[in-house]
Amino acid sequence: MAFNKENTVKIREKYNTKHLVAENAADMRRSELWIRIPELREIDRRLSATGPRLMAISLRKSNETVAEVRADVEELSRRRAELLEAHGYPADYTDPHYECAKCQDSGYVDGKMCECMRRELILAGYESSGITRLMGTQRFDNFDLDFYRDTPATYNNMSYAFETMRSYAQDFDPAVSPNLILFGGTGLGKTHLSTAVAKTVIDRGYDVVYTGAIGMLADFERARFGNASGVESGNGTERYFDCDLLIIDDLGSEVSNQFTVSCIYNVINSRISLGRPTLISSNLNQKEIGERYWDRIASRLFGEYIPLVFSGKDVRKQKISKK
Ligand SMILES: Nc1ncnc2c1ncn2[C@@H]1O[C@H](COP(=O)(O)OP(=O)(O)OP(=O)(O)O)[C@@H](O)[C@H]1O
Ligand SMILES: [Mg+2]
Ligand SMILES: [Zn+2]
């Protein structure tokens, strides 16, 4: 389980603030009541002495008994509730009102991450993965295999691709999952299934980066000029190396030059060395990949990636003609 580091830091800070805001607001309400009901102030002063009184007993520096202290606390609390009610305030008026009662907005319960924080991290994961918009519409449950009925071979092939990607996502484990490369013409569902994989893997708590090849290379381009002008670290390209699963959509759509090819090589090679899975999709076929990229890239894409070849008739067109 490895949520995106930046998101985790951001959300922890947010929780610290939330927790403090709730406590400050409670303090303000208490101060306001102390002015209105002076007796309450005295009660709160005596209640806050409970800890020191118990401490003194345990250190044998006091002649009181624990039972006596308890009785006092009960009596003070009863009187406190009575005063609040008499002045028309709810009994919990001076308690902090947390958004999440379970973790009191700390994000943790008994040292374990609270459900509310896990949800926030998953949502942040959608955002930082870069595919929030697509994830609503491109899911496993609305991927329709009937679009591949033209021949039994196509249907079998696409059923296999679908099942492979679904179990890939459901069983994803950054330490053991292989690399996948999807080949196939336009409109055959490569992006659809890649998006579905991204969402499932994020929901399972992993850090996913989803990027078009063009967008990724634009980031490297920016980083190159950033570095030239003396900007240090944090250039935005680390995530391509660090994330649990990198999805590069549409490899081959980028401009091909020495710089872009070396960036692609660097990403693919580094992730293989680090043992971090990558999923690539491309409109190019194996032969075109061999022609376009260095042998060093092609041999890795063929040797270290499991290929899934998408086939059939353009689903985009089929959907339009059905309307
Ligand atoms: N089997 C399917 N069931 C339902 N919708 C599908 C299916 N396959 C593709 N689509 C839809 O058709 C459109 C095109 O699919 P997608 O973008 O995944 O194709 P692609 O293989 O990535 O094409 P390209 O190479 O042009 O990027 C999308 O809107 C997608 O949601
Ligand atoms: Mg696509
Ligand atoms: Zn919580």
Side-chain angles (χ1 to χ4, degrees), residues 24-290:
N24 285 342
D27 284 346
M28 302 255 293
R29 290 194 296 275
R30 184 175 297 123
S31 311
E32 160 206 328
L33 282 196
W34 283 352
I35 294 169
R36 289 197 154 183
I37 319 171
E39 191 188 341
L40 198 75
R41 173 176 219 141
E42 179 55 20
I43 290 175
D44 283 346
R45 193 190 59 73
R46 289 172 62 191
L47 279 172
S48 68
T50 307
R53 281 169 76 189
L54 289 172
M55 179 71 94
I57 294 171
S58 74
L59 296 173
R60 300 181 195 287
K61 286 186 177 167
S62 159
N63 295 325
E64 286 187 305
T65 64
V66 173
E68 283 167 345
V69 176
R70 265 207 202 121
D72 277 357
V73 168
E74 261 169 43
E75 174 52 23
L76 288 167
S77 307
R78 194 196 52 73
R79 176 65 186 145
R80 194 177 194 281
E82 199 176 77
L83 279 172
L84 285 176
E85 200 188 337
H87 287 81
Y89 292 98
D92 66 352
Y93 187 70
T94 58
D95 295 345
H97 300 324
Y98 299 110
E99 271 173 42
C100 175
K102 263 200 231 159
C103 68
Q104 305 201 329
D105 295 353
S106 70
Y108 292 88
V109 184
D110 299 333
K112 277 202 196 132
M113 192 184 288
C114 182
E115 267 312 302
C116 72
M117 189 184 236
R118 186 175 305 281
R119 262 197 314 275
E120 289 252 1
L121 277 163
I122 289 174
L123 285 177
Y126 292 159
E127 289 291 335
S128 61
S129 74
I131 47 161
T132 323
R133 198 177 51 79
L134 287 182
M135 268 181 323
T137 52
Q138 309 200 340
R139 307 179 310 264
F140 286 117
D141 66 21
N142 69 354
F143 189 81
D144 187 352
L145 285 166
D146 281 340
F147 285 114
Y148 309 99
R149 291 269 182 207
D150 42 325
T151 72
T154 300
Y155 186 80
N156 287 342
N157 176 51
M158 289 309 293
S159 305
Y160 174 75
F162 172 73
E163 288 303 338
T164 304
M165 289 184 76
R166 194 167 55 172
S167 39
Y168 183 85
Q170 281 166 354
D171 303 335
F172 181 82
D173 176 346
V176 297
S177 287
N179 305 303
L180 295 182
I181 183 157
L182 319 180
F183 295 109
T186 191
L188 294 180
K190 300 184 299 297
T191 297
H192 189 122
L193 285 181
S194 305
T195 311
V197 167
K199 182 177 189 313
T200 306
V201 175
I202 295 168
D203 286 344
R204 295 190 47 232
Y206 294 107
D207 180 19
V208 176
V209 170
Y210 182 104
T211 178
I214 295 176
M216 180 176 84
L217 290 162
D219 278 349
F220 278 102
E221 194 79 42
R222 253 193 307 278
R224 176 163 71 152
F225 289 116
N227 288 343
S229 62
V231 177
E232 305 223 329
S233 74
N235 62 29
T237 57
E238 308 85 357
R239 60 201 200 105
Y240 298 119
F241 302 94
D242 293 345
C243 62
D244 294 322
L245 175 63
L246 173 65
I247 302 182
I248 307 175
D249 196 19
D250 240 340
L251 184 74
S253 59
E254 75 285 351
V255 195
S256 181
N257 58 43
Q258 188 75 16
F259 175 72
T260 58
V261 173
S262 72
C263 289
I264 289 167
Y265 174 74
N266 193 11
V267 169
I268 289 176
N269 192 49
S270 303
R271 292 191 63 88
I272 290 172
S273 316
L274 294 164
R276 295 190 182 136
T278 308
L279 191 166
I280 294 179
S281 77
S282 182
N283 261 319
L284 304 176
N285 59 33
Q286 271 111 321
K287 181 163 167 281
E288 289 163 331
I289 294 239

